[in-house]
Amino acid sequence: MKPLPTFNHLFSGPANAPCVTFIPGIGNDAEFWAEQAASLSTHFRVLRFDPWGHGQSPAPPADCNFAAIVEGVVQLWDTLGITHSALVGLGFGGSLALALGLNHPERISRIVAFCCRPRQPDDRRAFWRGRCEAAQTQGIDALTEVTVDRWLSAEFRAAHPQVDHLLRSMMKKTTLEGYLAYVRAFIEMDFTHRLAALNVPTLLVAAEHDHGGGPVPDMQAMTALNPRLSLHVIPGVGHICNHEAPTEVKRLLRDFLQGS
């Protein structure tokens, strides 16, 4: 494979500590995981990055697809001299973490995948095609308002304006080209038939009120396909659970990633 564009990235934590890589979702950048990264940086070398066309990363390659996005993470590790890493991701980032575990198990120590699926159901593929059309006709700024309003309840936004501002700011910095590339990769993605082969220690985390990104029944179905996967459900929260339940998420990450 020809060299892919790099990702804008940042490190925190001791240079000689075990590595943890945080993967953002669509419309998110490295700041999405900032609170969890700070929590883990006392014991881990934490790597965060902006997806292509998000934050400060360059545009995606012209022929961008799901396979290229998977290999882009591996290329980043190679460039930085990272031979092994744990992975944490949510939504598209969670799906990407699972795919990396299937494609490169020798590089990955543990996976924590939040609110995700191995394949988008047909109705969700139609939903995402509609989002692509809206992005092209209305622009990213208009799409941001609709998206964040879906991610967070009105009550949560009112009580946590800093989270509302962060998510809107990240998405508004996403280019149309970057958004379309990642959504089309999301629509294309399907590794359901391979999931049973995943042998990396993996914790799936679902959110009780996530009805779109990775509903509880869909994540339970993943554990039925592969009984080596464990599942934890966070009660009372929606898809963006690392911001709605940050203390619980930090506890889950510390307990699982520091486990023997």
Side-chain angles (χ1 to χ4, degrees):
M1 178 181 288
K2 63 183 179 181
L4 296 163
T6 188
F7 295 109
N8 178 63
H9 63 276
L10 61 158
F11 276 117
S12 58
N16 60 346
C19 184
V20 176
T21 302
F22 282 89
I23 306 178
I26 298 171
N28 306 139
D29 59 29
E31 289 306 302
F32 184 78
W33 289 109
E35 185 171 349
Q36 288 74 35
S39 174
L40 291 181
S41 290
T42 54
H43 294 93
F44 293 93
R45 181 67 162 167
V46 176
L47 171 64
R48 290 181 287 147
F49 65 92
D50 299 331
W52 292 317
H54 295 58
Q56 299 180 55
S57 281
D63 55 351
C64 186
N65 56 21
F66 187 69
I69 293 170
V70 170
E71 291 309 308
V73 178
V74 177
Q75 180 180 280
L76 176 64
W77 286 339
D78 290 344
T79 300
L80 299 173
I82 295 170
T83 57
H84 297 85
S85 179
L87 281 170
V88 179
L90 185 149
F92 180 85
S95 298
L96 184 55
L98 296 174
L100 280 158
L102 286 165
N103 289 8
H104 299 278
E106 75 287 351
R107 304 286 296 266
I108 298 163
S109 57
R110 290 182 174 240
I111 298 170
V112 187
F114 292 80
C115 302
C116 60
R117 299 178 170 104
R119 177 192 185 275
Q120 291 294 296
D122 291 344
D123 62 331
R124 293 295 294 177
R125 291 184 176 197
F127 167 85
W128 283 111
R129 291 187 185 99
R131 284 304 171 96
C132 286
E133 182 178 350
Q136 291 172 295
T137 58
Q138 301 171 26
I140 291 293
D141 284 2
L143 187 62
T144 294
E145 306 308 320
V146 175
T147 300
V148 178
D149 287 351
R150 283 178 58 93
W151 279 344
L152 303 172
S153 69
E155 294 77 13
F156 184 88
R157 294 198 307 273
H160 302 85
Q162 74 283 2
V163 176
D164 183 67
H165 174 75
L166 173 67
L167 295 175
R168 292 180 198 275
S169 176
M170 283 192 292
M171 188 156 184
K172 287 182 178 181
K173 289 187 291 185
T174 303
T175 66
L176 177 62
E177 187 178 14
Y179 181 81
L180 294 177
Y182 275 75
V183 170
R184 288 165 179 163
F186 210 17
I187 294 169
E188 163 208 351
M189 173 192 80
D190 185 359
F191 52 88
T192 310
H193 66 290
R194 300 179 59 207
L195 193 62
L198 181 61
N199 202 30
V200 176
T202 298
L203 173 64
L204 303 177
V205 183
E208 181 185 8
H209 300 313
D210 181 10
H211 303 300
V216 173
D218 290 48
M219 299 195 76
Q220 290 171 330
M222 285 197 275
T223 65
L225 289 171
N226 185 336
R228 292 185 297 275
L229 310 180
S230 57
L231 174 64
H232 178 86
V233 179
I234 302 177
V237 299
H239 183 63
I240 309 296
C241 58
N242 64 317
H243 288 282
E244 290 194 53
T247 301
E248 173 74 354
V249 167
K250 285 184 284 188
R251 183 191 66 78
L252 288 169
L253 291 175
R254 286 195 302 268
D255 289 352
F256 186 75
L257 295 177
Q258 293 177 9
S260 57

